[in-house]
Amino acid sequence: MSTADRLVEAAARLLDDGGQAAVTLRAVATATDLSHNAPYKHFDGRDALLAEVATRDLIHLAEQWRGVRAAPVAGRARLLDAVDVIVAFARDHPARYRLVFDSPDPAPRHDDLDAAAETALQAFIDIVVDCQGDGSLPASPSDNLGITLFATVHGLISADASGRLRARSGWGDVRAGMEFLLGLLGDGARS
């Protein structure tokens, strides 16, 4: 494993353990048993290191969504499996989820992060397109529908994390909220 990879993994662990405040270049160097200057040899600063963590998480999410798309499950069940991927990421890595989806771009300009975000979103939208093709979602601009569905998942994750989802809806989890919405959209697809 390269030194840069070790630094990124250490930053991800620090994020998981203590949130963004725990990620300093000195803490990352200490966690990897490197000199305090080592991170500066690989990253232009803390923001660039956080951007690399976010980039790698987005790449991993895209890979998981491609796996969901390739699985022998179709229609609404496939989309719900894609929802499960992001819900699991939010549950297992809440600080990294917030870094990727709630923080403004961690670096003023990070082309790899922008590309990874586009690739991940496209992998999710590809599943939406499949659902439109089999009639389980309405025929509408796929990009708009995909972004709307993803934004809804994000909102439900936030509501669930704050404890408000169950209290207001009676739903047990994010998936139940999406099942409700997909049922409404599916009914519209068949009309």
Side-chain angles (χ1 to χ4, degrees):
M1 180 183 303
S2 73
T3 300
D5 290 338
R6 289 176 55 207
L7 293 166
V8 171
E9 284 192 10
R13 281 192 311 275
L14 288 167
L15 268 168
D16 286 340
D17 293 341
Q20 285 193 40
V23 182
T24 65
L25 294 180
R26 183 173 294 276
V28 170
T30 299
T32 56
D33 293 324
L34 296 170
S35 76
H36 70 277
N37 287 326
Y40 294 100
K41 294 177 183 174
H42 299 277
F43 299 98
D44 290 335
R46 177 181 179 268
D47 288 346
L49 178 58
L50 289 173
E52 185 60 26
V53 172
T55 297
R56 291 180 186 200
D57 282 338
L58 284 163
I59 290 168
H60 183 67
L61 287 169
E63 290 168 356
Q64 288 183 290
W65 282 327
R66 282 189 212 102
V68 165
R69 189 172 187 218
V73 176
R76 193 178 301 170
R78 178 179 289 165
L79 187 54
L80 289 170
D81 287 349
V83 167
D84 289 345
V85 166
I86 194 64
V87 169
F89 178 66
R91 179 194 62 236
D92 296 343
H93 307 287
R96 287 163 51 189
Y97 177 85
R98 286 189 300 276
L99 172 70
V100 172
F101 296 109
D102 285 345
S103 296
D105 206 19
R109 192 78 203 135
H110 194 281
D111 292 335
D112 291 344
L113 178 58
D114 292 343
E118 282 298 316
T119 298
L121 181 59
Q122 189 59 54
F124 185 83
I125 290 171
D126 289 344
I127 295 169
V128 170
V129 169
D130 292 345
C131 291
Q132 289 177 302
D134 69 18
S136 56
L137 285 177
S140 62
S142 302
D143 285 349
N144 293 344
L145 182 57
I147 290 167
T148 300
L149 289 171
F150 189 84
T152 302
V153 171
H154 178 63
L156 289 170
I157 287 170
S158 295
D160 191 42
S162 68
R164 292 183 182 97
L165 181 64
R166 288 179 203 94
R168 294 285 285 153
S169 68
W171 297 326
D173 54 23
V174 172
R175 186 180 177 111
M178 287 305 294
E179 286 172 344
F180 174 78
L181 176 60
L182 294 176
L184 295 173
L185 290 172
D187 291 344
R190 289 183 278 280
S191 348

